[in-house]
Amino acid sequence: MLGLPSIPAFCLRPRDLRRGAVLTMAFLAAVGTGAYTGCWDREEGAAVAAVPAGAPTAEGPRETGTADREAVARAVAEAVAEGKSGKKAAQEVVSRSGDRWGTVYDQGEYAAFAEGLDGHWTGVGVWAGRAPDGMIKVDKVQPGSPAARAGLRAGDRLLSVDGHAVTGLAVPDVVALLRGDAGTPVVLNLSRDGADLTETVRREQLKTEPVTVRQRPDGVTVIKVASFTRGSGDRVKAAVKAAPPGEGVVLDLRGNPGGLVTEAVTTASAFLDGGLVATYDVRGDQRVLYAAEGGDTRRPLVALVDGGTMSAAELVAGALQDRGRAVAVGSRTFGKGSVQMPTELPDGSVAELTVGTYRTPAGRSLDGGGITPDVPAGERVEERAVTVLGGLGVGP
């Protein structure tokens, strides 16, 4: 979502950084306008952020650099001493480092991301990502939102926000421009099918339901997880327990940009009885994520994935696939497997710098490559999933 939306997965206020290391898996999406793109996954004091919905979906592995924390801090301190922008100085260092997931937030931007952890945010209701040509595009418009009422559509290209050109900007910076107080206007200049248009919309307090459940006529339960915000894992667990005995479940992770790692692990735990979910490293220090015991290990399960399945959502899909618990159906996932850790800078801004990678239980690194589904499917993916469930012993 523009604004968040397409932004990170983990969200902590700067003061939270003082409580311990915060681990984030950047999820550049759309916090500012409608969704929370800057919500990060947290695990025992660490946070993991999700990635942009709408980013390239089929790119191959890429190397990513990392900026030195001390170098960034020095640049900020020097800039502030000279009366310049500390945030801009930090951004320049991160950009030169080659860290393609690194980004910098001022205090207000960083604190605003915390709204997304509860599925609430202030924005216009747009999910945005970067198009292959470098432009910012609208990936999704929330129904009933200010953007929807103004007629914005998926596929529109965003040219400027309140006169600030956004082409070439990092998605988090675009999100920052889109965010603001509820009731305040924001002027969006867009391009659609070669024609320019301008819309003025007013920001509103918005919310989204991260987990929705529906029962198909054939008895299959479809659990759609749009993002891993606070409480989403328990909602998945409740949905699994309430599903008809003996019937299969489709866990729909398509378009899920990530979120809180703890919620992702809780979701995986709904289908596992303990054991490994993922490992990750922070500057060479290995960490492990385990599922809770007591999950439903017998119910047939299919996980739906696509190019919008990112970060913490890939963590869940990879764990269920590697553990032989679910058949993955759909298309290759985004491939966001690097870990970012936020660092508070001398001027109070926050830099998220890449510090390591995470791996599935089988030791696969998802960064750049993503998850290849067991059963490729384009259109009619859900019907394909039900057919697969039938082969597992359930369904019509």
Side-chain angles (χ1 to χ4, degrees):
M1 306 180 63
L2 282 181
L4 169 191
S6 296
I7 242 196
F10 156 117
C11 304
L12 289 184
R13 293 181 173 82
R15 65 171 177 273
D16 294 321
L17 298 177
R18 303 187 183 94
R19 300 176 184 171
V22 174
L23 188 63
T24 67
M25 296 159 66
F27 115 103
L28 306 161
V31 178
T33 54
Y36 53 92
T37 55
C39 297
W40 311 321
D41 315 312
R42 180 187 307 177
E43 183 264 328
E44 294 184 351
V48 182
V51 187
T57 61
E59 58 183 2
R62 286 196 210 164
E63 294 296 325
T64 182
T66 182
D68 180 82
R69 290 180 298 175
E70 294 183 359
V72 175
R74 284 197 301 272
V76 171
E78 292 172 1
V80 172
E82 296 174 3
K84 300 179 181 179
S85 169
K87 177 185 174 182
K88 183 176 181 180
Q91 289 173 323
E92 291 175 350
V93 175
V94 173
S95 177
R96 290 196 301 269
S97 74
D99 186 344
R100 67 190 183 106
W101 296 115
T103 191
V104 182
Y105 306 93
D106 63 31
Q107 282 187 313
E109 294 164 356
Y110 199 70
F113 289 151
E115 291 181 304
L117 292 177
D118 292 316
H120 298 81
W121 67 91
T122 301
V124 301
V126 174
W127 278 260
R130 184 172 303 287
D133 60 5
M135 295 186 71
I136 299 297
K137 65 186 180 72
V138 174
D139 290 313
K140 178 182 175 182
V141 178
Q142 183 178 357
S145 66
R149 294 194 297 271
L152 271 67
R153 308 173 188 170
D156 287 346
R157 301 302 179 96
L158 184 64
L159 304 178
S160 68
V161 177
D162 282 339
H164 298 280
V166 300
T167 300
L169 291 184
V171 176
D173 293 329
V174 178
V175 169
L177 292 174
L178 289 164
R179 294 196 64 92
D181 296 329
T184 58
V186 57
V187 180
L188 307 179
N189 181 229
L190 307 111
S191 174
R192 178 185 301 162
D193 299 327
D196 291 350
L197 60 153
T198 300
E199 298 289 347
T200 299
V201 295
R202 289 188 177 276
R203 302 175 177 96
E204 293 181 0
Q205 285 291 324
L206 301 170
K207 64 178 297 184
T208 188
E209 178 53 64
V211 179
T212 54
V213 184
R214 59 186 171 83
Q215 193 80 34
R216 289 173 52 98
D218 52 28
V220 172
T221 297
V222 179
I223 304 174
K224 170 69 175 178
V225 185
S227 58
F228 291 109
T229 52
R230 189 171 288 116
S232 57
D234 285 337
R235 294 183 186 183
V236 172
K237 279 191 169 183
V240 174
K241 291 181 179 179
E247 297 292 346
V249 165
V250 173
L251 180 65
D252 191 349
L253 299 174
R254 291 175 296 172
N256 184 324
L260 295 173
V261 167
T262 49
E263 299 297 338
V265 173
T266 299
T267 294
S269 299
F271 306 99
L272 300 170
D273 186 17
L276 187 63
V277 172
T279 60
Y280 63 92
D281 66 274
V282 177
R283 299 189 178 89
D285 182 20
Q286 298 298 309
R287 315 284 177 86
V288 182
L289 298 173
Y290 290 108
E293 298 180 349
D296 187 333
T297 61
R298 301 178 63 84
R299 187 186 298 276
L301 175 66
V302 167
L304 300 185
V305 297
D306 66 5
T309 303
M310 308 176 186
S311 194
E314 292 178 284
L315 182 152
V316 173
L320 296 177
Q321 186 183 52
D322 280 4
R323 297 281 301 274
R325 183 62 190 88
V327 176
V329 174
S331 54
R332 187 158 68 89
T333 63
F334 180 82
K336 170 63 175 66
S338 60
V339 176
Q340 284 68 46
M341 180 175 288
T343 297
E344 187 171 3
L345 301 173
D347 65 344
S349 59
V350 177
E352 288 181 17
L353 309 177
T354 298
V355 296
T357 58
Y358 75 95
R359 295 179 180 275
T360 67
R364 292 183 293 166
S365 173
L366 303 178
D367 203 32
I371 293 172
T372 300
D374 301 298
V375 180
E379 299 180 356
R380 301 178 61 83
V381 178
E382 187 174 306
E383 287 71 14
R384 182 62 167 156
V386 172
T387 299
V388 171
L389 285 175
L392 298 175
V394 300

